[in-house]
């Protein structure tokens, strides 16, 4: 791949999705985009870059972003966020009367995080599930489609999922497992780009959120982009709302709007002042 | 070392591959070919803390082994049991859990699946 095309692709990915590709990592483009180049009958990566240059928002551009981002996820990933949801966040949110509780899985990938939230809610608040509205969003159309189907392979349902919950909330058809409607119906999915300035407007109809999970996505972004995203998330939340990120995703330092709340040996963020 | 694990399966390939996974997670591995051997081994090594248990085996199957250890003296330290089996149906999972299995793996398995089940049970291993 030639230098100008590589530079263009780096800039394109950063603008379009927040993804940082380091200068030394040209091979990442090569390994992840080779298939697209072939599928579209293009000569090479340079041709792909040139094509996107003239159509930054087309189908091909989306496919490039999709191929470059990691969709890897699993049910109940890291466990502690879901324990904290049950033990800290939900009790806090249910304390104030019978109003709706809005939860957002931002960067939901193929849905495991959003559905793990739904199962946690169903376990913790049986009967109250109707009060809880969960929305999952992602930049990847393909991931969203799979998420909305609620269908998973035998391998996927065995990563992170306790057997007890698999029995309770899934239906089996050979090697295919589908979430029961009682869980599926708790979650809606839609497209949203975390680095888009229109994010708050796009999410207005679903918010303001009491709880936001934004995990294992900021890690791919540059530090200032991460700060911009959490600022954007704050605009979609209510004051006092909770934000769950991955372990090292928010740079340490002063965040006047956020308070760090220790839970076990991890921490959650709490929005103390709405921007 | 994170303690003793029994790998119980009549298929040699499974004893080898699952044994290798458990060793890589730094467990001491004891291998058995059926439920009866597993009962004898457990008697000799009461400090076994985890059993990776196949269901279908000659002599004594995994389910009967599970039932018989769960009937033993309740003051005795009980090992945790993860079923690792081709019995991939909700009714068999329910039956095993009701008999005292702690977790359930439907074959084929891989190391990520095994690690995630250990995480669920709070069993420490070499990361
Ligand atoms: C590794 S997955 C994380 C899934 C889940 N949150 C978890 O922790 O397991 C990262 C997801 O972020 C999505 N993503 C990447 N950039 C994004 C952006 N700018 N806006 C929204 N989603 C994005 C990717 O499509 C991918 O599905
Ligand atoms: Mg067998």
């Amino acid at each position: 791949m030639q230098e100008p095309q590589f530079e263009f692709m780096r800039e394109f990915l950063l603008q379009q999705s927040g993804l940082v590709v380091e200068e030394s990592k040209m091979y990442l483009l090569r390994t992840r985009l080779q298939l697209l180049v072939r599928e579209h009958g293009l000569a090479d990566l340079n041709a792909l870059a040139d094509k996107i240059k003239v159509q930054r928002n087309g189908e091909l551009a989306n496919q490039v972003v999709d191929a470059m981002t990691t969709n890897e996820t699993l049910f109940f990933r890291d466990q502690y966020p879901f324990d904290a949801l049950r033990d800290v966040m939900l009790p806090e949110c249910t304390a104030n009367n019978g109003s709706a509780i809005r939860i957002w899985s931002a960067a939901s990938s193929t849905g495991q995080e959003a559905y793990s939230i739904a199962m946690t809610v169903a376990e913790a608040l049986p009967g109250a599930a109707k009060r809880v509205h969960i929305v999952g969003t992602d930049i990847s159309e393909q991931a969203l489609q799979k998420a909305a189907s609620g269908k998973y392979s035998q391998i996927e349902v065995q990563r992170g999922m306790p057997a007890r919950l698999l029995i309770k909330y899934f239906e089996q058809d050979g090697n295919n497992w589908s979430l029961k409607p009682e869980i599926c119906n708790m979650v809606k999915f839609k497209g949203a780009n975390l680095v888009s300035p229109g994010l708050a407007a796009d999410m207005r109809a679903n918010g303001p959120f009491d709880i936001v999970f934004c995990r294992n996505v900021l890690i791919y972004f540059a530090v200032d982009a991460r700060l911009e995203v959490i600022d954007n998330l704050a605009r979609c939340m209510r004051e006092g709302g909770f934000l769950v990120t991955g372990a090292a995703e928010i740079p340490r330092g002063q965040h006047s709007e956020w308070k760090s709340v220790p839970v076990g040996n991890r921490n959650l963020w709490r929005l103390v002042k709405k921007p | 070392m994170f303690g003793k694990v029994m790998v119980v399966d009549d298929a040699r390939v499974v004893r080898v591959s699952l044994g290798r996974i458990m060793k890589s997670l730094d467990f001491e591995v004891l291998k058995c070919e059926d439920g009866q051997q597993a009962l004898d081994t457990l008697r000799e090594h009461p400090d076994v803390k985890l059993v990776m248990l196949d269901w279908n085996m000659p002599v004594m199957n995994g389910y009967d082994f599970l039932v018989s250890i769960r009937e033993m003296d309740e003051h005795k330290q009980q090992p945790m049991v993860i079923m690792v089996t081709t019995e991939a149906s909700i009714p068999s999972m329910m039956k095993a859990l009701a008999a005292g299995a702690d977790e359930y793996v439907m074959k084929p398995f891989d190391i990520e699946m095994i690690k995630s089940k250990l995480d669920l049970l709070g069993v420490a291993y070499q990361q």
Side-chain angles (χ1 to χ4, degrees), chain A residues 17 70-73 77 107 109 113 138-139 193-194 215-216:
Chain A
S17 70
T70 309
N71 293 120
E72 178 88 12
T73 184
R77 187 168 187 172
S109 189
E113 179 176 85
D138 203 280
I139 197 177
N193 186 343
L194 290 172
R215 309 181 56 227
N216 304 301

Side-chain angles (χ1 to χ4, degrees), chain A residues 74 79 154-155 157-164 166-167 170-172 177, chain B residues 88-90 93-94 97 103-107 110 112-113 116-117 119-120:
Chain A
L74 63 155
Q79 218 165 330
Q154 188 153 295
I155 292 172
V157 296
Q158 298 200 82
R159 295 246 165 96
M161 175 93 68
R164 188 180 67 80
L166 182 58
I167 291 170
F170 281 78
E171 274 157 13
Q172 181 185 17
W177 295 76
Chain B
S89 75
I90 290 180
M93 264 191 268
M94 289 172 78
L97 261 54
E103 261 303 335
Y104 201 101
V105 171
M106 295 172 276
K107 288 170 180 167
D110 61 19
E112 291 310 319
M113 217 180 266
S116 111
K117 294 292 180 182
D119 289 338
L120 286 172

